[in-house]
Amino acid sequence: MTDNTRRRFLKTLLAGGGMATLTGCDYLSEKPWFRDTLAQSEKLSDAVQHAITPRKAMAREFTPADISPRFRANGTTDPEGAEYRALAANGFRDYRLKVGGMVENPMTLDLAAIRALPSRTQITRHDCVEGWSAIGQWTGARLSALVEQARPQPEARYLVFHCADRYGRSDSPYYESIDMEDAHHPQTLLAYELNGEPLPIANGAPLRLRVERQLGYKMAKYVMAIEVVDRFDHIGRGKGGFWEDRGYAWYAGI
Amino acid sequence: MARTRLKTVYRHPLPVRIGHWVNALCLLILLLSGLQIFNAHPHLYWGSASDFESPWLSIDYHWSRDDGYSGWTRVYDWQADTTGVLGASPGADGELEGRAFPAWLTIPGSRWLAMGRSWHFFFAWILVINASLFLIWALFAGHLKRLVPTVEDWRGFGQSVIDHLRLRHPTGEAATRYNILQKLAYLTVIFGLGGLIVLTGLCMSPRMDTVLEPVLEFFGGRQSARSIHFLAASGFVLFVAIHLFEVIVSGPVNQLRSMITGYFRYHDHATGVASNRENRHDG
């Protein structure tokens, strides 16, 4: 081969190889078996991260000077449902949080009862799956206190949060789920205040979940009910959350 | 010419070859799926949180009813219209759409963050496993020693820089050993860039941050870590570009074959005084 033909051959090989790689990747991305294969690494990340970080390892807490001037609101910022509209119009005075499922003591709490639970205030960094971060001060009821009052049955493994919003044009309501480890973590809150003010509607009023060691999409806003379960494959499309049902990982610690 | 003999030497042991190609595949997929992830929020910041008013790098678009999409790229105070490639580029239907990196540079091609993350994390694990196995093998097989510059290497540093700039490459038996710039490049990439990109990647994990706080502090916060991750990836792109260039100018067929079969061919200088110039075709 002369240098020229060689060069042309290599160029064709590179360009052709590049195109084939991308087309191949798109083709594979559509195949359920391939998606499932890739998703296996989520289990590895989950297992390894849990093995090398303590169960109660705390997310960093910042100082008031670090608080972001504007806490970006993502996902739904103003739920449209009539029921939610009515609650919001009345300052959430008629709001009731239902706690049920596999618990010995099902409960219905109004905001005063939730505010009476042991609380915590923390300034933490919120990491969106898109890549941005914002720092805010959250005040809320410790989820562990609520869970202890509800007394989950021994088989219970997850908490499912049912929300008032339907994201975008979706006809399915938002929901999320976390495991008992996160439910009992001291920084896991049902937050009702952001930066010392009542939680704005854009950020999830009247109650949103804070799970500080995971990404933003786990932190359900507009929480209406908590269901304690041993599995979640019968809820939504079965993956444990609105975004999980749309391809995102259930474990969002990464 | 008559005094040189074509010799074949077994240059790259199997672990090097496997490691090399697994690495190449992982880096390509990690880069392209990384650009998909970047596209979900095409702005980079310094610090812990995102100051939305002042990213240091943005690749975004304008849209108006009259003019449609136009893409722009801003780095600090420098801004340029990059329509067609960055910010706004043709989608599957050939029409311009707003997206930071174009479809032909992202995995998957369409806007699909969840799938991009899936690709990215899967191949990040393969890369880390591959790199760990390679390092363990390299340590025990004495391969790392081949990468450590010798005193003699350092003495030839200036000459090596000049030779590289003139695209003049070692011939004969010398071509079968790593030269000083190669050694430095490989060491910098493996331990410098490689370490940096893995650490900054881990620093973006909120769960890992519970134990990586000192490292995060060192980088300057999570958004800084994201920026450095992007810059380290750019460093890899630069390395691969130079690497491919060097392969092409130093005999691509011979180089490629040696990284596939292990066997490298070179002209043995029988007299030991043959000039470099005469023997400069090593393919």
Side-chain angles (χ1 to χ4, degrees):
Chain A
M1 275 198 278
T2 68
D3 269 6
N4 257 337
T5 49
R6 199 174 281 169
R7 219 161 279 157
R8 229 176 299 141
F9 170 72
L10 276 168
K11 256 172 118 176
T12 317
L13 196 76
L14 276 176
M19 283 309 292
T21 309
L22 286 173
T23 315
C25 290
D26 281 354
Y27 172 82
L28 289 171
S29 299
E30 299 290 345
K31 298 285 162 204
W33 68 265
F34 187 78
R35 287 216 283 263
D36 290 345
T37 307
L38 286 192
Q40 291 305 312
S41 77
E42 177 200 343
K43 288 179 194 149
L44 184 59
S45 304
D46 184 336
V48 171
Q49 293 202 346
H50 277 81
I52 63 180
T53 59
R55 283 175 69 86
K56 296 276 180 203
M58 301 283 272
R60 178 179 171 189
E61 297 192 12
F62 293 79
T63 67
D66 299 317
I67 292 175
S68 298
R70 181 167 68 89
F71 198 95
R72 179 175 284 207
N74 225 28
T76 306
T77 50
D78 196 6
E80 284 170 0
E83 199 185 335
Y84 181 85
R85 286 283 192 210
L87 288 174
N90 195 21
F92 299 104
R93 268 181 289 272
D94 300 323
Y95 170 84
R96 298 289 181 275
L97 174 72
K98 291 188 203 66
V99 182
M102 299 173 70
V103 292
E104 306 294 346
N105 179 32
M107 298 186 291
T108 303
L109 299 93
D110 61 12
L111 281 177
I114 291 162
R115 282 177 172 270
L117 287 166
S119 72
R120 193 171 197 279
T121 295
Q122 60 203 26
I123 302 174
T124 51
R125 196 191 64 224
H126 177 98
D127 301 325
C128 178
V129 68
E130 294 169 359
W132 53 267
S133 307
I135 295 174
Q137 174 184 290
W138 302 95
T139 301
R142 291 170 184 256
L143 188 61
S144 58
L146 186 70
V147 171
E148 273 156 35
Q149 285 191 18
R151 295 202 305 277
Q153 293 164 8
E155 313 82 65
R157 292 188 58 197
Y158 306 103
L159 266 60
V160 178
F161 299 82
H162 296 282
C163 307
D165 59 316
R166 294 165 194 273
Y167 178 66
R169 271 159 285 172
S170 165
D171 54 1
S172 41
Y174 201 91
Y175 76 103
E176 255 305 337
S177 56
I178 62 172
D179 62 13
M180 286 295 172
E181 179 184 318
D182 269 328
H184 285 103
H185 189 269
Q187 287 173 317
T188 302
L189 309 179
L190 285 174
Y192 41 72
E193 278 178 21
L194 169 58
N195 297 337
E197 304 284 333
L199 190 60
I201 285 183
N203 301 97
L207 271 192
R208 87 169 296 173
L209 180 63
R210 296 300 308 169
V211 201
E212 302 294 355
R213 300 180 299 178
Q214 299 209 49
L215 297 174
Y217 67 86
K218 294 300 280 187
M219 307 196 216
K221 307 197 283 190
Y222 319 109
V223 175
M224 305 301 284
I226 301 175
E227 184 186 2
V228 179
V229 296
D230 59 348
R231 47 193 278 195
F232 44 66
D233 53 4
H234 58 287
I235 299 167
R237 296 185 203 161
K239 303 287 191 200
F242 180 88
W243 288 115
E244 287 85 334
D245 285 344
R246 286 151 184 82
Y248 286 83
W250 182 79
Y251 176 63
I254 178 170
Chain B
M1 287 300 288
R3 315 221 68 174
T4 66
R5 209 154 38 95
L6 195 61
K7 278 184 100 174
T8 301
V9 64
Y10 185 62
R11 188 182 180 190
H12 298 302
L14 190 62
V16 170
R17 277 136 59 203
I18 295 177
H20 173 270
W21 291 113
V22 172
N23 236 341
L25 178 75
C26 288
L27 285 180
L28 180 68
I29 290 177
L30 282 165
L31 175 73
L32 303 182
S33 57
L35 296 181
Q36 166 76 243
I37 296 171
F38 174 90
N39 275 3
H41 186 73
H43 311 278
L44 294 175
Y45 315 85
W46 297 115
S48 290
S50 308
D51 177 359
F52 298 116
E53 310 306 320
S54 55
W56 69 267
L57 181 142
S58 287
I59 304 176
D60 216 338
Y61 65 89
H62 291 299
W63 183 86
S64 71
R65 197 175 296 275
D66 296 335
D67 303 323
Y69 287 99
S70 65
W72 53 269
T73 301
R74 188 166 61 221
V75 183
Y76 290 103
D77 290 333
W78 176 87
Q79 181 166 333
D81 185 316
T82 47
T83 308
V85 184
L86 297 178
S89 50
D93 54 2
E95 296 285 311
L96 277 187
E97 60 180 25
R99 51 180 300 151
F101 285 98
W104 52 270
L105 270 181
T106 63
I107 294 177
S110 57
R111 195 187 172 115
W112 194 354
L113 174 61
M115 204 57 210
R117 283 168 58 83
S118 239
W119 278 95
H120 202 73
F121 298 145
F122 185 89
F123 282 90
W125 273 112
I126 306 271
L127 181 83
V128 165
I129 293 167
N130 184 52
S132 308
L133 290 177
F134 176 80
L135 284 178
I136 292 168
W137 170 83
L139 208 59
F140 285 100
H143 184 74
L144 278 188
K145 257 186 280 170
R146 291 172 61 189
L147 286 178
V148 178
T150 61
V151 176
E152 203 185 328
D153 281 338
W154 282 114
R155 276 199 201 113
F157 182 82
Q159 188 58 44
S160 188
V161 172
I162 294 167
D163 286 347
H164 273 84
L165 289 177
R166 289 180 171 176
L167 308 186
R168 207 189 277 171
H169 292 84
T171 59
E173 212 254 325
T176 66
R177 291 189 302 266
Y178 295 130
N179 63 61
I180 174 73
L181 293 193
Q182 250 180 318
K183 288 181 177 181
L184 292 177
Y186 293 157
L187 287 175
T188 310
V189 166
I190 294 173
F191 295 103
L193 277 186
L196 198 61
I197 208 154
V198 170
L199 271 182
T200 49
L202 286 174
C203 277
M204 282 186 270
S205 151
R207 177 83 189 207
M208 290 309 298
D209 284 348
T210 60
V211 293
L212 285 179
E213 196 47 53
V215 186
L216 202 56
E217 192 91 335
F218 172 76
F219 288 134
R222 183 177 188 261
Q223 289 302 317
S224 293
R226 185 168 178 259
S227 290
I228 297 168
H229 195 71
F230 183 88
L231 291 172
S234 312
F236 267 101
V237 172
L238 185 66
F239 166 77
V240 171
I242 296 172
H243 178 68
L244 290 179
F245 176 77
E246 293 292 337
V247 164
I248 287 168
V249 297
S250 65
V253 174
N254 191 31
Q255 296 281 19
L256 205 54
R257 180 186 46 231
S258 72
M259 200 39 93
I260 294 169
T261 67
Y263 290 96
F264 184 83
R265 281 192 202 155
Y266 68 99
H267 292 279
D268 189 31
H269 309 258
T271 60
V273 292
S275 88
N276 275 353
R277 233 165 245 294
E278 273 187 316
N279 299 315
R280 255 199 50 220
H281 53 95
D282 39 6

